[in-house]
Amino acid sequence: MTKKIFYLTSALSFFGIQTVFASENALFQGLDNQIALGYSYNSLHAYNPNYSGPNVTTSASNLNLHLEQLFNNNIWLAIDGSFTFKANQNSPGGAGFSDNTQEFGFPASLSAKGGYSFNWGGNSTQGFQVIPYVTMGRMLNYNGMSVSQNTFTQSYLNMYGGGARLEYAFTRDASIYLDQSIGYLQDPNANNSDVYDQSAMSYTTLLGIKYNVTPYFQLGLQGMFNQTNLIDTSIGYNPITYSYQNTAQTSFGGMLSFAYLYNNDQLMSSLSNIGSSGNNSGAPNSLLAAFDNSYSLGMGWVNSTNSYKGGSAPNIGTSSNYIDFNVAHLFENNVWANIDAQLINNISQTNVPAGRVNSSVPTYIGFPGSVTFDVGYGFQAFDSGFQIIPYANAGVVMNMNSYNLRSNSSIMNAISQDMYLQYGFGGRAEYAINNFWQIYADQLLAGMKDQSPLGINAWRSTSSLGVKINPVGPLQLGLKGFYDIITPNGDAYNSSTNSYVPAQQNSLGVQFDIGLRY
């Protein structure tokens, strides 16, 4: 599934080769071409239609990242990432871990949509577009039935589907849209006859409005309704435990988003018949912006070692890979911003202590993912293609770790508390040798405040060395290597279990990216 996301992105990269001149769909580009951060609040109600047993309602607060682009040739692309940072759940009335965590497709997801815009009135102040699209992605599935059989690392669903979006721009600064999608949620563990097959059908309806407050800034409101139904409803009854499991879920919610319109200034000028010649090519930092103004999907591979500061237990070895979603922008005033989100794709470990929790939950800082933000300023030598960027860093690093999970009464507490709040500073040096390639070095030093009951604060040092290549049109390829050190402030001793925690983590990795410049 991960490779298919890359294939979709690659195909859209080539189809999306475009010029900098005004296009026939300029009205919708001025509304759709955006990078957005959002907050959403969702309510998920899991139930069994054939049994009035332990229905479960989960309320979740989520951070959302949305990127959207409508190319000059009407190809449309959207990438969405979401993760829950706070959740609570009603008491289901059942006993056991599998009874009290029965939501589906929770608590994080990453998906991509690709389609074609059929639009009318795209160069006026009003217009209408219809976008049929295909979609694919991955969502975590921390459902009690799945986790108890497949462990946390294998509890996810692959999504394949399609849909259509209808959007009406009633002025050049505002539009409303309706989005309907149907997805097949494939359980990768379904081939194992000894486990429940949680493959399902998902139906999602979105209704939203966009308003351009300024040529660069947009506010958005969106409502969501989703119905998820397991295909094999026979798993609703467990003949071994004589208990009923939930097989369906109804969800609804709302999202408030704040978006940066990355090329709306040029497009709004063309709509006003002023002309479309203004673009970044005349800016002093245009060569650097040709590399920094990009978004990408990446795949990373990491080897890590977790060690104890006391005791005689052997180090824990980890091999993992992850999906990375990155958006960066260098503004004309030299302000630089970067957003990075990661989701663990697969993980395997050695020397893990015995026990059911240790075998079900990885002993790894950063599972199941993270979201970080960088904001800095580029000091440049004029027309040299070289800049130094001091920046501030902040973010959330999830830490649903084996030693943390023992201290939580439920998975809701783990999702809401088992994380680090990261904050720090870094420096980045970039050199664009020419229009084809750029090399860079990056050093981050950050504090990590533990929100879990253990309170094991730490600091980290991350060193990166990479290259970006612009081979053709807007297509961009990237490769970087990195070394990351996470060190606890104290001895990481857990008094409740009378043992040391392997909170010292050293990692060496490499990441490959494929993306588009904008």
Side-chain angles (χ1 to χ4, degrees):
M1 194 285 303
T2 304
K3 292 182 179 179
K4 291 181 179 179
I5 291 181
F6 281 114
Y7 296 155
L8 174 62
T9 307
S10 302
L12 291 171
S13 300
F14 287 106
F15 285 128
I17 293 175
Q18 58 179 335
T19 67
V20 297
F21 301 105
S23 65
E24 294 300 320
N25 51 24
L27 173 64
F28 289 105
Q29 286 180 312
L31 292 160
D32 294 348
N33 289 6
Q34 61 175 273
I35 302 166
L37 287 174
Y39 165 79
S40 65
Y41 183 84
N42 298 333
S43 178
L44 302 79
H45 179 65
Y47 61 97
N48 188 323
N50 300 316
Y51 176 68
S52 58
N55 298 341
V56 178
T57 298
T58 304
S59 299
S61 295
N62 312 282
L63 178 65
N64 300 83
L65 176 60
H66 174 76
L67 186 143
E68 189 174 345
Q69 184 162 7
L70 177 61
F71 298 93
N72 285 355
N73 58 7
N74 286 17
I75 295 294
W76 177 80
L77 172 67
I79 300 175
D80 289 278
S82 173
F83 89 94
T84 300
F85 61 87
K86 187 174 182 59
N88 59 75
Q89 194 174 75
N90 71 313
S91 176
F97 185 72
S98 63
D99 271 336
N100 64 22
T101 57
Q102 291 195 28
E103 59 286 313
F104 301 99
F106 180 83
S109 65
L110 180 63
S111 63
K113 297 177 180 178
Y116 187 86
S117 169
F118 298 91
N119 58 68
W120 298 267
N123 270 327
S124 67
T125 58
Q126 291 183 326
F128 180 75
Q129 70 172 343
V130 178
I131 307 174
Y133 61 79
V134 295
T135 181
M136 62 178 61
R138 172 168 294 183
M139 56 183 64
L140 299 184
N141 189 40
Y142 289 174
N143 180 287
M145 290 186 290
S146 178
V147 169
S148 61
Q149 298 173 100
N150 308 316
T151 74
F152 276 89
T153 58
Q154 296 300 312
S155 293
Y156 60 86
L157 299 169
N158 295 323
M159 180 188 68
Y160 309 95
R165 170 172 290 210
L166 285 70
E167 184 173 4
Y168 172 61
F170 50 92
T171 74
R172 68 180 185 180
D173 292 327
S175 70
I176 57 175
Y177 62 89
L178 174 67
D179 190 304
Q180 178 64 55
S181 63
I182 300 175
Y184 168 61
L185 307 181
Q186 181 253 340
D187 186 349
N189 307 290
N191 294 330
N192 187 342
S193 59
D194 296 328
V195 303
Y196 293 120
D197 179 3
Q198 291 199 8
S199 297
M201 295 300 298
S202 175
Y203 309 88
T204 303
T205 303
L206 305 175
L207 180 64
I209 184 170
K210 305 174 182 178
Y211 175 64
N212 293 353
V213 180
T214 74
Y216 297 94
F217 177 70
Q218 181 184 95
L219 280 176
L221 286 173
Q222 177 179 278
M224 179 276 297
F225 176 82
N226 172 268
Q227 179 65 40
T228 299
N229 299 318
L230 266 62
I231 296 174
D232 183 5
T233 58
S234 65
I235 68 172
Y237 178 72
N238 187 335
I240 299 176
T241 61
Y242 301 101
S243 62
Y244 287 84
Q245 310 288 348
N246 293 326
T247 59
Q249 179 173 281
T250 300
S251 307
F252 59 89
M255 180 175 69
L256 172 66
S257 63
F258 306 88
Y260 171 69
L261 305 170
Y262 48 80
N263 67 343
N264 210 24
D265 51 338
Q266 170 192 336
L267 294 170
M268 295 296 278
S269 296
S270 69
L271 290 174
S272 302
N273 296 318
I274 297 176
S276 59
S277 59
N279 56 64
N280 284 345
S281 61
N285 60 13
S286 59
L287 179 59
L288 291 161
F291 291 93
D292 290 349
N293 294 2
S294 64
Y295 55 87
S296 64
L297 280 174
M299 191 76 180
W301 295 265
V302 185
N303 286 323
S304 305
T305 300
N306 286 77
S307 56
Y308 303 81
K309 279 199 168 183
S312 58
N315 295 341
I316 297 174
T318 302
S319 295
S320 64
N321 60 69
Y322 61 87
I323 304 171
D324 183 89
F325 178 33
N326 180 269
V327 183
H329 194 83
L330 179 64
F331 297 87
E332 291 188 14
N333 60 4
N334 290 353
V335 171
W336 175 82
N338 183 69
I339 304 173
D340 191 81
Q342 293 185 359
L343 186 65
I344 297 292
N345 182 56
N346 191 33
I347 188 168
S348 61
Q349 297 190 297
T350 59
N351 294 330
V352 177
R356 183 177 181 183
V357 174
N358 288 331
S359 63
S360 300
V361 190
T363 306
Y364 182 80
I365 299 173
F367 180 84
S370 63
V371 179
T372 57
F373 307 87
D374 303 318
V375 177
Y377 185 86
F379 294 92
Q380 303 164 2
F382 188 79
D383 285 340
S384 69
F386 178 78
Q387 70 175 345
I388 295 177
I389 308 174
Y391 63 85
N393 168 271
V396 176
V397 179
M398 295 302 295
N399 191 31
M400 294 185 65
N401 207 306
S402 59
Y403 51 78
N404 275 340
L405 206 65
R406 291 187 180 89
S407 303
N408 287 288
S409 58
S410 72
I411 192 173
M412 296 300 110
N413 288 338
I415 290 171
S416 303
Q417 300 177 12
D418 287 357
M419 66 181 73
Y420 283 105
L421 299 183
Q422 179 173 295
Y423 49 90
F425 297 92
R428 184 181 181 94
E430 298 180 343
Y431 178 45
I433 299 172
N434 50 40
N435 290 323
F436 181 73
W437 65 303
Q438 178 198 71
I439 57 175
Y440 65 89
D442 192 298
Q443 177 62 53
L444 169 69
L445 294 174
M448 302 176 68
K449 184 172 178 57
D450 190 3
Q451 303 299 293
S452 77
L454 295 183
I456 303 175
N457 297 329
W459 64 272
R460 85 183 310 168
S461 169
T462 306
S463 305
S464 305
L465 185 64
V467 59
K468 295 181 180 180
I469 299 174
N470 298 332
V472 58
L475 180 65
Q476 183 174 94
L477 303 177
L479 181 67
K480 74 172 182 179
F482 59 90
Y483 183 64
D484 181 62
I485 303 172
I486 297 177
T487 301
N489 292 341
D491 57 8
Y493 182 76
N494 186 349
S495 58
S496 63
T497 60
N498 194 30
S499 62
Y500 289 93
V501 169
Q504 173 72 46
Q505 182 170 293
N506 295 359
S507 303
L508 181 65
V510 63
Q511 179 179 312
F512 172 73
D513 302 295
I514 180 169
L516 295 174
R517 298 181 291 148
Y518 59 88

